Amino acid sequence: TLIMEVFRTAILDFCKRRESSFCPSEVVRKLYPQDWRFFMPDIQEEMMKMYREGLIQITQKGLPVDPSVPPKG
């Protein structure tokens, strides 16, 4: 869907611009500052899809997360 493509592009943009890690909530807050919580499940879904495709890395406390289980928090 279009919203998922927007999220995918925004996530990749954050990856290019940031030298450190970031949380998906930071991405969605930039896109939808008033309604960001509403979009959290969608961006987390897209983030995990990109992780499973090998496009991005996802870690918690410096360790890679299990690609079959969405990260907590």
Side-chain angles (χ1 to χ4, degrees):
T1 65
L2 181 59
I3 190 72
M4 294 307 215
E5 286 299 318
V6 169
F7 288 152
R8 179 175 284 249
T9 300
I11 291 166
L12 290 173
D13 184 60
F14 259 69
C15 288
K16 288 180 183 178
R17 294 175 185 264
R18 298 282 295 258
E19 292 184 17
S20 61
S21 63
F22 59 89
C23 178
S25 66
E26 293 178 68
V27 178
V28 80
R29 284 177 198 216
K30 285 283 187 187
L31 297 170
Y32 304 102
Q34 298 297 320
D35 300 317
W36 67 272
R37 283 186 176 89
F38 177 78
F39 294 101
M40 281 302 297
D42 294 327
I43 199 158
Q44 288 171 326
E45 176 185 334
E46 190 62 26
M47 172 192 70
M48 288 304 294
K49 181 178 176 186
M50 293 172 71
Y51 180 46
R52 287 188 291 272
E53 291 172 359
L55 296 173
I56 61 172
Q57 293 182 352
I58 299 178
T59 61
Q60 281 192 319
K61 298 181 181 177
L63 301 173
V65 300
D66 179 344
S68 65
V69 180
K72 297 177 183 175

